[in-house]
C-alpha cells in the first residue's frame, strides 16, 4: 500500500524550481502564441496595405499623366489642323513618345480587367488616330473627324483615371474590411486564450500541489500514529527525496514502537515477579500461616497487601495504556464518583502520614458523579 494518489503524468522536472518554471512556461505559452499570431497578422496586413496603396498610387499617377498627355495631343492636333504647321507634328511625336512610355508603365501595373481594357482601348485609339494624322488630312470633314477622335481619346483617358480612382476607393474599403476582420480575429484569439490560460493555470496548480498534498498526508498519518503503508511521493526529485526520508522516519518509528512494546513487556514481567511474591507473602501473613499476628502487625500486613494490589493495578494500567496507543484497547467516557476518587487518594498516603504522625481527615460532599475517560477492553 502506498500513501498518496498516483498522477497519470509520470514525468516531473528534477527539482521543484524546475517544476515552477515549467508551470510558468505552460501558462504563458497561450499568451505568447496569441501575441505572436497578432504580430504576424498585423505585419502581413501592413505589408499588403503598403503594397496595395503603392500600386494604386502609381496607377492613379499614371492615369492622371495619361489624361494630361491625351489632352496635350488633342491640343497639338487642333493647332495642326488650324495652322497646318509641320513643326507641330514634331511636337506631337515627342508627346506621343512620352505617351507610349507612360502606357507601357501602366500596363505593367496589376490592373483589373476593366482598367486594363480601357487602357488598351486608349492605346489602340491613339494608334488609329496617329495613322490618320500622318496621312495629313486635307478635307475639312476629315480634319473635323480627326479632332473629334482625339476628343473621344481624352474621354477614354479620363475613364481610365476614373477607374483608377474607383480602384483606390475599393482598396481603401478592402483595407478597412481587412482591418475589421483582423480586429475580430484578435478578439476571438483573446477570448480563447483567457479560458485556456485559466484551465492551464488550474491544471498546473493541481500538478504542483499534488506532491505537496502527498507530503502533507504522509506527515499527518505519521502524526496520528498510522504507520501502515509505504510513503511514496510522485513529483520532482527533491520532493521524492523528502518522501523517501519520511518513509525512513516511518520505518524508524515502527522500530521504536516495537522496542517500546518489548520494553514494557519486559519491565512488567520483571515487576510482576517480585510483586507476586510480595503479595502472596502478605496474604500468607494475613491468613496466619506463619503464626498469629498482633493487631498492629496485622494492620501493617494489610497495608502491604493493599499496596501490592495497587502496584499491580498500576502495572496493568501501564500495559493498558500501551495497548490503547496501539489501538488494541479503546477509551470510553463514563460516570465516576468523586468521593471514591478522593478516598482512594487518601488511602494511598495514609500509611506514610501515620508513620510521620500526621492525621488525615476528609470532608467531601456527596456531589454525584462526573464524566471521565475509562479504558474499554
Amino acid at each position: 500500500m502506498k500513501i498518496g494518489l498516483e498522477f497519470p503524468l509520470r514525468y516531473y522536472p528534477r527539482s521543484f524550481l524546475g517544476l515552477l518554471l515549467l508551470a510558468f512556461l505552460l501558462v504563458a505559452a497561450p499568451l505568447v502564441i496569441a501575441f505572436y499570431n497578432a504580430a504576424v497578422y498585423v505585419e502581413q496586413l501592413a505589408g499588403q496595405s503598403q503594397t496595395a496603396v503603392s500600386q494604386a498610387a502609381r496607377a492613379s499617377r499614371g492615369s492622371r499623366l495619361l489624361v494630361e498627355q491625351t489632352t496635350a495631343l488633342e491640343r497639338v492636333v487642333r493647332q495642326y489642323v488650324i495652322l497646318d504647321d509641320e513643326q507641330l507634328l514634331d511636337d506631337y511625336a515627342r508627346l506621343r513618345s512620352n505617351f507610349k512610355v507612360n502606357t507601357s508603365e501602366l500596363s505593367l501595373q496589376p490592373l483589373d480587367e476593366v482598367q486594363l481594357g480601357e487602357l488598351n482601348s486608349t492605346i489602340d485609339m491613339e494608334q488609329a488616330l496617329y495613322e490618320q494624322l500622318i496621312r495629313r488630312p486635307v478635307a475639312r470633314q476629315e480634319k473635323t473627324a480627326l479632332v473629334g477622335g482625339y476628343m473621344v481619346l481624352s474621354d477614354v483617358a479620363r475613364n481610365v483615371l476614373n477607374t483608377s480612382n474607383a480602384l483606390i476607393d475599393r482598396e481603401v474599403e478592402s483595407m478597412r474590411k481587412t482591418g475589421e476582420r483582423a480586429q475580430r480575429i484578435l478578439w476571438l484569439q483573446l477570448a480563447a486564450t483567457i479560458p485556456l490560460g485559466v484551465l492551464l493555470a488550474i491544471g498546473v496548480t493541481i500538478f504542483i500541489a499534488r506532491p505537496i498534498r502527498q507530503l502533507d498526508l504522509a506527515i499527518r498519518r505519521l502524526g496520528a500514529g498510522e504507520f501502515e503503508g509505504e510513503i511514496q511521493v510522485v513529483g520532482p526529485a527533491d520532493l521524492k527525496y523528502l518522501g523517501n526520508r519520511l518513509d525512513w522516519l516511518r520505518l524508524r518509528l515502527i522500530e521504536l514502537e516495537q522496542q517500546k512494546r518489548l520494553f514494557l513487556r519486559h519491565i512488567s514481567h520483571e515487576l510482576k515477579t517480585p510483586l507476586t511474591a510480595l503479595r502472596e507473602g502478605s496474604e500468607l501473613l494475613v491468613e496466619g500461616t506463619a503464626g498469629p499476628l498482633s493487631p498492629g502487625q496485622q494492620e501493617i500486613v494489610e497495608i502491604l497487601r493493599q499496596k501490592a494490589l495497587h502496584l499491580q493495578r498500576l502495572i496493568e494500567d501501564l500495559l493498558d495504556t500501551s495497548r490503547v496507543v496501539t489501538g488494541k484497547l479503546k477509551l470510553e467516557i463514563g460516570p465516576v464518583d468523586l468521593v471514591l476518587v478522593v478516598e482512594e487518594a487518601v488511602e494511598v498516603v495514609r500509611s506514610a502520614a501515620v508513620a510521620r504522625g500526621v492525621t488525615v481527615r476528609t470532608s467531601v460532599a456527596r456531589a454525584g458523579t462526573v464524566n471521565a475517560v475509562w479504558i474499554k477492553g
Side-chain angles (χ1 to χ4, degrees):
M1 177 181 179
K2 296 180 180 180
I3 297 177
L5 300 176
E6 294 292 338
F7 196 68
L9 184 59
R10 296 292 180 178
Y11 173 75
Y12 276 90
R14 294 187 59 83
S15 65
F16 189 70
L17 181 61
L19 179 60
L20 292 178
L21 181 59
L22 177 61
F24 173 77
L25 293 177
L26 287 176
V27 174
L31 297 177
V32 173
I33 293 174
F35 283 128
Y36 175 77
N37 289 335
V40 171
Y41 200 93
V42 170
E43 184 177 1
Q44 292 177 352
L45 178 61
Q48 293 174 358
S49 301
Q50 182 178 4
T51 302
V53 171
S54 177
Q55 292 175 352
R58 287 196 298 268
S60 177
R61 184 169 57 250
S63 299
R64 287 195 301 271
L65 182 59
L66 182 64
V67 172
E68 294 175 358
Q69 289 172 344
T70 54
T71 302
L73 292 175
E74 179 188 353
R75 184 170 57 252
V76 171
V77 170
R78 286 180 180 274
Q79 292 175 357
Y80 175 75
V81 170
I82 295 173
L83 301 177
D84 198 15
D85 185 359
E86 296 293 334
Q87 184 66 32
L88 293 173
L89 293 178
D90 296 335
D91 295 339
Y92 183 91
R94 179 176 52 79
L95 293 174
R96 188 171 185 269
S97 177
N98 295 332
F99 173 82
K100 285 185 172 294
V101 172
N102 186 31
T103 53
S104 297
E105 293 178 353
L106 275 176
S107 63
L108 296 177
Q109 299 298 323
L111 306 176
D112 59 4
E113 294 182 0
V114 176
Q115 192 175 15
L116 185 59
E118 292 178 349
L119 179 61
N120 291 332
S121 297
T122 304
I123 296 172
D124 295 340
M125 185 177 294
E126 191 278 332
Q127 181 65 30
L129 293 174
Y130 176 71
E131 291 176 357
Q132 294 178 18
L133 179 63
I134 60 177
R135 288 197 296 267
R136 293 176 174 80
V138 178
R140 181 179 181 84
Q141 185 176 2
E142 292 178 351
K143 293 181 179 181
T144 302
L146 182 62
V147 173
Y150 275 98
M151 293 176 62
V152 175
L153 178 64
S154 298
D155 293 336
V156 174
R158 290 188 182 90
N159 290 334
V160 175
L161 177 60
N162 294 333
T163 304
S164 298
N165 293 333
L167 178 62
I168 292 176
D169 294 337
R170 287 197 301 271
E171 290 295 336
V172 172
E173 181 65 18
S174 175
M175 286 188 293
R176 185 185 65 81
K177 292 181 179 179
T178 304
E180 292 177 353
R181 184 169 62 254
Q183 185 179 13
R184 288 195 301 270
I185 292 175
L186 292 179
W187 279 113
L188 289 175
Q189 288 182 348
L190 180 61
T193 301
I194 291 177
L196 179 61
V198 172
L199 291 177
L200 285 175
I202 294 174
V204 165
T205 301
I206 297 175
F207 189 60
I208 294 176
R210 185 172 297 273
I212 297 177
R213 287 200 304 270
Q214 291 174 349
L215 288 173
D216 179 70
L217 178 60
I219 294 172
R220 289 176 182 272
R221 290 174 65 91
L222 292 179
E226 300 177 7
F227 304 137
E228 298 295 331
E230 178 186 359
I231 297 176
Q232 185 175 18
V233 177
V234 179
D238 46 5
L239 295 185
K240 285 184 178 180
Y241 174 76
L242 290 179
N244 294 334
R245 301 308 296 170
L246 286 176
D247 192 64
W248 172 84
L249 178 61
R250 179 185 67 87
L251 297 176
R252 181 60 178 162
L253 290 175
I254 291 176
E255 182 181 354
L256 293 176
E257 184 66 23
Q258 293 174 347
Q259 292 177 359
K260 184 184 72 173
R261 294 174 188 174
L262 182 61
F263 172 76
L264 289 176
R265 283 199 298 269
H266 285 320
I267 196 66
S268 62
H269 176 73
E270 295 297 330
L271 290 175
K272 281 184 178 181
T273 301
L275 184 60
T276 301
L278 179 62
R279 185 173 59 81
E280 291 177 352
S282 61
E283 291 285 348
L284 292 175
L285 291 175
V286 170
E287 293 175 357
T289 303
L293 300 176
S294 65
Q297 292 173 340
Q298 190 171 1
E299 182 179 359
I300 293 173
V301 170
E302 181 65 24
I303 292 173
L304 291 175
R305 188 176 71 86
Q306 293 295 331
K307 295 303 180 182
L309 292 174
H310 179 69
L311 184 58
Q312 183 177 0
R313 286 197 302 271
L314 290 178
I315 295 173
E316 291 175 352
D317 290 342
L318 179 62
L319 295 176
D320 290 340
T321 302
S322 176
R323 288 196 291 269
V324 168
V325 173
T326 58
K328 295 181 178 180
L329 291 179
K330 295 184 179 180
L331 299 177
E332 67 175 9
I333 298 177
V336 176
D337 191 346
L338 289 178
V339 176
L340 294 179
V341 174
V342 173
E343 290 178 352
E344 289 181 0
V346 171
E347 288 298 326
V348 171
V349 299
R350 186 180 298 277
S351 59
V354 172
R356 291 173 174 77
V358 178
T359 303
V360 180
R361 296 187 179 90
T362 60
S363 178
V364 182
R366 296 287 176 175
T369 60
V370 294
N371 291 328
V373 177
W374 291 87
I375 297 177
K376 182 179 179 181

